[in-house]
Amino acid sequence: MPLILETIVTTLSPAGELHLVPFGLIGEEDGYVLAPFRPSPTIVNLETNPCFAASSPRDIRVIAGTVTGRRDWPTVACDAIAGRRLADSFGHAEFEVAAVEDHEVRPRFRGRMVHSAAHAPFIGYNRAQAAVLEAAVLSTRLHMLEPEKVLTEMAYLAIAVGKTAGPREREAWGWIEDKVAAALGPEARILGRDDR
Ligand SMILES: Cc1cc2nc3c(=O)[nH]c(=O)nc-3n(C[C@H](O)[C@H](O)[C@H](O)COP(=O)(O)O)c2cc1C
């Protein structure tokens, strides 16, 4: 399996509007591949404006927020492409689409990195942030996964959140719990339940 980096990808719509969503960048020898499942606004955008930025957010609420209807995060103009990137990130990279492998389910857009920059020191990993990231991915796959599996994984991930979260991580976790609970029922509210 290739290395996959979880990032916030920003693209521009045909009308020039910003689209900001989390995507895994698939590492390849000569660059990174973006592989959105159809149907996808990101695919439409890349077909019109074949470039994208990928940012590593410092605030994990950006990842949890984008999959729970909170997509209004501050951005700034990119340096080397027409587009915008997350304002508050550890770093970001800008890509031009160098090749497209079309596919009826999941086309692959091969990105050629044209610029990258670091913006803030990365001091250490945080288990709660990793747990929120995992839960955010789960929350985008509720239609594909057995409810039992989702609830078991949420219960396990909640341990790291309970032990190592700061206020942002706890808030982000709450957004994901709300989404999963709305789909699968109140058993998904593992930490929310303790707070009451
Ligand atoms: C960390 C993370 C990584 C994700 N990676 C992908 C991915 O590689 N491909 C994909 O289609 N969706 C991925 N998703 C789900 C998308 O973010 C979500 O479905 C989003 O709405 C897709 O953007 P779109 O609406 O422009 O297609 C990921 C979600 C998270 C939380």
Side-chain angles (χ1 to χ4, degrees):
M1 289 295 285
L3 179 80
I4 297 180
L5 300 178
E6 308 302 344
T7 67
I8 290 291
V9 165
T10 34
T11 52
L12 289 182
S13 78
E17 287 157 357
L18 181 73
H19 186 60
L20 187 155
V21 275
F23 273 108
L25 285 194
I26 305 165
E28 303 234 320
E29 262 175 36
D30 55 348
Y32 289 93
V33 168
L34 189 57
F37 284 97
R38 289 186 191 278
S40 163
T42 298
I43 295 176
V44 174
N45 295 353
L46 290 173
E47 285 169 351
T48 318
N49 298 308
C51 55
F52 62 94
S55 307
S56 51
R58 295 206 307 156
D59 183 346
I60 199 66
R61 291 180 306 173
V62 178
I63 301 264
T66 47
V67 298
T68 55
R70 300 166 176 89
R71 293 195 176 178
D72 196 14
W73 299 96
T75 59
V76 294
C78 284
D79 292 280
I81 60 169
R84 302 184 70 77
R85 49 110 175 155
L86 207 57
D88 183 20
S89 68
F90 290 114
H92 87 284
E94 299 173 16
F95 297 88
E96 287 172 354
V97 174
V100 184
E101 284 170 46
D102 205 6
H103 189 271
E104 62 186 35
V105 178
R106 200 177 187 192
R108 291 162 59 87
F109 296 84
R110 189 175 305 273
R112 186 174 67 86
M113 196 187 293
V114 293
H115 177 75
S116 67
H119 305 296
F122 180 80
I123 308 292
Y125 298 97
N126 173 254
R127 292 174 59 205
Q129 290 169 4
V132 169
L133 182 70
E134 283 301 316
V137 174
L138 276 179
S139 80
T140 66
R141 297 188 179 163
L142 298 176
H143 57 291
M144 295 158 56
L145 299 172
E146 287 297 323
E148 195 56 38
K149 177 180 167 63
V150 175
L151 295 174
T152 306
E153 294 201 10
M154 289 289 289
Y156 177 70
L157 294 169
I159 297 169
V161 177
K163 287 183 176 167
T164 71
R168 288 175 167 188
E169 290 73 26
R170 187 167 274 271
E171 185 175 19
W173 178 263
W175 294 345
I176 302 291
E177 273 197 355
D178 286 347
K179 179 178 177 180
V180 178
L184 303 184
E187 311 93 277
R189 288 189 197 283
I190 300 138
L191 296 179
R193 198 187 292 152
D194 291 348
D195 285 345
R196 269 179 228 139

